[in-house]
C-alpha cells in the first residue's frame, strides 16, 4: 500500500540521487579493479597486458614487416608474440585484412605503448559516445557501464565497435553522411556490420546506406593497396575452418555467449548447436520485426537491432556485450518505462559484469546472453505496442 502511494520511482529526486551515488561507486570500484589488473600485468613478464590486445599488435607488426598473411598462421603469430611477451597462449586471427589495414600504425611502436594508446582512444570514444547520446539524467549511469571495464581488461576492440554502432544509429536522421561512414568502418567486423545497412534500408535512408557502402569498399581498396591480396586469401581459408576450430577447442568457447557455444561447452554435437543457434536467432528476428511493425521510434528500433546484432554470430565473445550498453542507452532515451521495466533494464545493465565474474570463476560458464536478449526485445515490443495504441487513440480523438 505504501508503494502505491509513492510517486513514480524514476521521477523521485531521492531515488535519482541514490542511483547516481550507486553509479559513482560502481565506476570507482571498477576503475580500481581494472587498474590493478593492468598494473599487475605491466609488472609481470609472463602475462601480457589485457591479453587479447597482443594479437592486434602482432598482426600490425607482421603487416609492418610486409608479412600480413602470416597473421593467419597461428605459429607465425606466436613467434611475434613470444618475442614481445612471455606467453604460451595461441591466438587465432579471424579478422579481415581491412582490420589490419585500419590498425596498421599499432605495429610502429612497442606492445606496451601500443596498448596504452589504443585503449585510451577506444575507452574515451566509448565514454564520450555513451554520455553524449544518452539523456542528461542517465549520464552517470552510462559512464559506469561495466562493459567499458570488461573491454579494457580483455584488451579488445569492442569499445570502438560499439561506439561506431551507436554513431551509426544515433546520427542516422541528423547526420546521414557521418552515420554511413561510421557504419562502413564497422565492416572491419562483418558480423557486427551486416545488420546495420539493412536497418538503413528499412528506414529508407538511402544516403546512410550509400555512404556505408562507399566507406566499406574504400576500406577494402585501402587494404589491397597497403597489404596486397595475399592476406585476403588467408582470411577466407581461415573463415572456412572456423566451425572446425570451434569444435576442437582452437577457438575458446568458454568466453563465448551464444547458444551454440553453450551447447558445445556441455558436449553437444556441432550440428545441433548450430541448428539451435539458428532457430533462436530466427525467433529473435521475428520479435524485432514485430517491434518495427508497431513503432517508428528510432531509439526503440535501434535498441532492438543492436540486441539482434549481438546474437547474430555463433562466435560472439563476452566482450562484445559492450553493444548491450548501447542498446540500453537507446532504451533509456525513450522515457515512460514503468517501475518493473526500469528494474529489468538495471539488471541487464549489470548483467555483463555478473557474466564476466562467473566466466572467470568457473571452468564451464553458461552464458545467459540469449535470455537477456529475449527479455529486452519483449520489453521493447510491449512498449512499441503501447506507443502504437496511444498514437491510434490520439488519431481517433482528433477525427471525432
Amino acid at each position: 500500500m505504501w508503494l502505491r502511494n509513492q510517486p513514480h520511482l524514476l521521477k523521485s529526486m531521492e531515488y535519482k540521487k541514490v542511483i547516481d551515488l550507486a553509479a559513482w561507486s560502481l565506476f570507482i570500484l571498477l576503475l580500481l579493479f581494472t587498474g590493478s589488473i593492468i598494473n599487475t600485468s605491466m609488472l609481470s613478464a609472463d602475462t601480457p597486458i589485457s591479453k587479447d590486445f597482443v594479437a592486434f599488435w602482432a598482426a600490425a607488426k607482421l603487416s609492418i614487416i610486409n608479412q600480413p598473411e602470416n597473421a593467419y598462421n597461428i605459429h607465425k603469430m606466436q613467434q611475434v608474440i613470444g618475442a614481445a611477451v612471455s606467453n604460451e597462449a595461441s591466438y587465432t586471427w579471424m579478422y579481415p585484412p581491412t582490420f589490419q589495414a585500419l590498425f596498421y600504425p599499432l605495429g610502429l611502436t612497442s606492445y606496451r605503448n601500443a596498448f596504452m594508446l589504443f585503449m585510451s582512444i577506444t575507452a574515451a570514444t566509448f565514454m564520450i559516445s555513451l554520455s553524449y547520446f544518452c539523456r542528461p539524467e542517465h549520464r552517470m549511469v552510462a559512464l559506469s557501464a561495466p562493459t567499458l571495464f570488461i573491454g579494457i581488461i580483455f584488451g579488445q576492440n569492442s569499445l570502438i565497435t560499439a561506439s561506431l554502432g551507436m554513431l551509426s544509429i544515433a546520427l542516422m536522421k541528423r547526420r546521414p553522411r557521418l552515420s554511413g561512414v561510421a557504419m562502413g568502418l564497422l565492416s572491419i567486423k562483418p558480423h557486427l556490420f551486416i545488420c546495420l545497412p539493412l536497418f538503413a534500408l528499412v528506414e529508407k535512408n538511402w544516403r546512410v546506406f550509400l555512404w556505408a557502402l562507399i566507406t566499406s569498399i574504400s576500406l577494402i581498396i585501402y587494404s589491397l593497396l597497403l597489404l596486397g591480396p595475399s592476406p585476403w586469401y588467408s582470411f577466407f581459408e581461415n573463415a572456412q575452418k572456423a566451425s572446425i576450430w570451434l569444435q576442437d577447442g582452437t577457438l575458446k568457447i568458454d568466453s563465448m555467449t551464444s547458444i551454440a557455444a553453450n551447447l558445445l561447452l556441455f558436449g553437444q554435437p556441432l550440428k545441433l548447436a548450430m541448428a539451435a543457434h539458428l532457430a533462436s536467432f530466427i525467433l529473435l528476428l521475428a520479435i524485432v520485426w514485430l517491434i518495427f511493425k508497431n513503432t517508428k521510434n528510432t531509439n526503440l528500433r535501434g535498441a532492438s537491432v543492436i540486441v539482434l546484432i549481438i546474437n547474430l554470430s555463433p562466435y560472439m565473445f563476452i566482450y562484445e556485450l559492450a553493444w548491450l550498453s548501447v542498446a540500453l542507452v537507446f532504451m533509456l532515451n525513450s522515457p515512460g518505462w514503468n517501475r518493473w521495466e526500469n528494474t529489468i533494464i538495471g539488471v541487464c545493465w549489470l548483467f555483463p559484469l555478473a557474466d564476466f565474474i562467473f566466466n572467470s570463476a568457473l571452468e564451464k560458464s553458461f552464458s545467459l546472453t540469449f535470455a537477456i536478449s529475449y527479455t529486452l526485445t519483449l520489453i521493447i515490443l510491449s512498449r512499441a505496442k503501447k506507443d502504437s495504441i496511444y498514437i491510434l487513440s490520439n488519431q481517433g480523438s482528433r477525427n471525432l
Side-chain angles (χ1 to χ4, degrees):
M1 182 65 68
W2 178 83
L3 282 173
R4 292 178 184 175
N5 294 328
Q6 300 305 306
H8 193 287
L9 283 176
L10 277 185
K11 293 181 181 178
S12 167
M13 292 303 295
E14 291 78 10
Y15 184 74
K16 287 180 182 178
K17 289 178 181 178
V18 171
I19 291 295
D20 284 343
L21 179 61
W24 268 109
S25 301
L26 180 63
F27 178 82
I28 292 169
L29 283 173
L30 290 174
L31 185 65
L32 291 172
F33 176 69
T34 305
S36 67
I37 290 178
I38 293 174
N39 184 58
T40 302
S41 298
M42 290 184 73
L43 295 174
S44 172
D46 298 324
T47 308
I49 315 165
S50 301
K51 60 182 181 179
D52 286 4
F53 178 77
V54 74
F56 304 160
W57 176 82
K61 205 71 176 177
L62 285 166
S63 300
I64 292 290
I65 61 175
N66 296 319
Q67 297 177 20
E69 68 281 358
N70 284 337
Y72 300 93
N73 184 312
I74 294 176
H75 303 295
K76 296 288 186 182
M77 278 281 278
Q78 192 56 40
Q79 288 175 10
V80 178
I81 293 169
V85 293
S86 177
N87 182 35
E88 296 180 358
S90 59
Y91 295 87
T92 308
W93 188 251
M94 301 296 293
Y95 297 104
T98 47
F99 188 101
Q100 281 174 268
L102 196 61
F103 295 106
Y104 181 88
L106 292 175
L108 296 171
T109 185
S110 68
Y111 167 61
R112 293 173 187 272
N113 290 341
F115 168 77
M116 297 306 294
L117 178 65
F118 179 78
M119 294 315 303
S120 296
I121 292 173
T122 57
T125 303
F126 187 70
M127 292 175 72
I128 291 169
S129 299
L130 282 185
S131 61
Y132 182 77
F133 288 109
C134 75
R135 295 168 65 88
E137 60 265 32
H138 301 132
R139 190 158 291 152
M140 194 56 232
V141 175
L143 291 177
S144 67
T147 51
L148 166 65
F149 302 94
I150 292 171
I152 295 172
I153 290 170
F154 273 94
Q156 265 294 340
N157 54 67
S158 54
L159 302 180
I160 193 68
T161 58
S163 301
L164 289 172
M166 174 168 256
L167 289 170
S168 300
I169 295 172
L171 299 176
M172 193 171 283
K173 291 182 177 178
R174 288 182 289 167
R175 302 285 297 276
R177 183 182 302 178
L178 188 55
S179 169
V181 170
M183 196 179 290
L185 288 173
L186 263 175
S187 61
I188 60 173
K189 299 192 77 169
H191 61 290
L192 300 176
F193 165 73
I194 190 65
C195 289
L196 289 172
L198 297 177
F199 179 37
L201 288 177
V202 170
E203 292 285 306
K204 296 181 180 179
N205 201 320
W206 314 117
R207 290 180 66 190
V208 171
F209 180 81
L210 178 62
W211 277 102
L213 189 64
I214 291 171
T215 304
S216 56
I217 292 173
S218 298
L219 268 178
I220 293 172
I221 295 171
Y222 169 61
S223 72
L224 288 169
L225 293 173
L226 184 66
L227 308 175
S230 58
W232 280 100
Y233 299 135
S234 301
F235 164 69
F236 287 116
E237 285 178 12
N238 273 15
Q240 293 171 3
K241 299 174 185 175
S243 60
I244 299 171
W245 287 342
L246 187 65
Q247 194 170 19
D248 68 13
T250 303
L251 292 175
K252 305 299 181 183
I253 58 175
D254 56 347
S255 294
M256 293 183 183
T257 60
S258 67
I259 285 182
N262 283 327
L263 291 173
L264 288 172
L265 199 62
F266 289 96
Q268 299 304 309
L270 179 64
K271 288 185 179 179
L272 174 63
M274 290 301 182
H277 180 83
L278 179 62
S280 173
F281 180 76
I282 290 173
L283 180 58
L284 198 61
L285 182 63
I287 298 172
V288 171
W289 177 77
L290 288 173
I291 291 169
F292 272 64
K293 189 177 179 181
N294 282 277
T295 185
K296 291 186 178 181
N297 184 316
T298 304
N299 284 315
L300 296 180
R301 284 185 166 192
S304 66
V305 167
I306 288 174
V307 173
L308 193 66
I309 286 171
I310 61 176
N311 287 274
L312 173 60
S313 172
Y315 314 111
M316 199 70 73
F317 284 87
I318 185 174
Y319 48 76
E320 300 292 9
L321 291 179
W323 285 68
L324 184 64
S325 299
V326 174
L328 293 169
V329 164
F330 279 128
M331 290 176 70
L332 290 172
N333 280 348
S334 295
W337 304 99
N338 64 40
R339 181 169 61 234
W340 306 114
E341 289 168 339
N342 275 299
T343 301
I344 293 171
I345 290 172
V347 170
C348 293
W349 187 260
L350 294 172
F351 163 74
L353 180 60
D355 205 38
F356 172 72
I357 292 171
F358 282 118
N359 186 276
S360 303
L362 303 176
E363 285 187 14
K364 288 191 174 184
S365 176
F366 188 82
S367 176
L368 292 175
T369 299
F370 68 94
I372 292 293
S373 300
Y374 280 117
T375 302
L376 285 179
T377 48
L378 288 173
I379 289 175
I380 296 170
L381 176 59
S382 173
R383 171 63 187 279
K385 286 185 174 180
K386 289 177 186 176
D387 288 355
S388 178
I389 292 170
Y390 176 77
I391 291 169
L392 288 173
S393 63
N394 277 356
Q395 289 176 344
S397 62
R398 282 198 297 269
N399 291 335
L400 291 173

